[in-house]
Amino acid sequence: KEPPHEICVVELSGEDLMMAEKRIRRAREMWRNCLEAGDWPGYPLEVVQVKLPEFYQSRWLEREIMEADYKAQTGADIINIGRVRPTTEGK
């Protein structure tokens, strides 16, 4: 947030630039085709159900166990760790 700001100059290789140009050309062809046809395929018309990867559930269950252990040991909710407690010094 404060200067000096760190920067890094990044340059794509000629091979990567050629691939980018191919992808841009194809995207423009697809866009033109959809404009002319008045049809924008790609998304299903029905509701799609998504299942999160197993590790998301595992991570949450680990968190619940850790929070329950903390509460059993201290009698307090773990969220209290992040709360700033006002000091009474100087009053």
Side-chain angles (χ1 to χ4, degrees):
K1 292 183 180 182
E2 298 295 323
H5 301 288
E6 185 174 341
I7 64 165
C8 177
V9 177
V10 177
E11 182 178 46
L12 293 175
S13 70
E15 193 175 274
D16 291 337
L17 286 172
M18 185 177 7
M19 181 58 66
E21 289 171 5
K22 287 180 178 185
R23 293 181 70 177
I24 290 168
R25 191 175 317 115
R26 180 61 182 139
R28 287 180 174 159
E29 288 173 2
M30 292 169 70
W31 182 264
R32 183 177 55 253
N33 181 292
C34 290
L35 279 174
E36 291 171 358
D39 184 32
W40 299 86
Y43 291 103
L45 299 177
E46 67 275 356
V47 175
V48 177
Q49 186 176 34
V50 177
K51 177 138 177 68
L52 292 174
E54 294 267 338
F55 71 88
Y56 279 104
Q57 294 178 14
S58 298
R59 202 180 290 167
W60 183 258
L61 293 174
E62 289 172 12
R63 178 179 172 165
E64 285 181 327
I65 291 167
M66 188 259 315
E67 289 183 7
D69 288 345
Y70 180 85
K71 190 163 192 167
Q73 292 173 12
T74 66
D77 191 313
I78 200 165
I79 196 167
N80 293 331
I81 292 174
R83 291 200 168 109
V84 178
R85 291 175 179 76
T87 60
T88 56
E89 292 180 28
K91 291 187 178 183

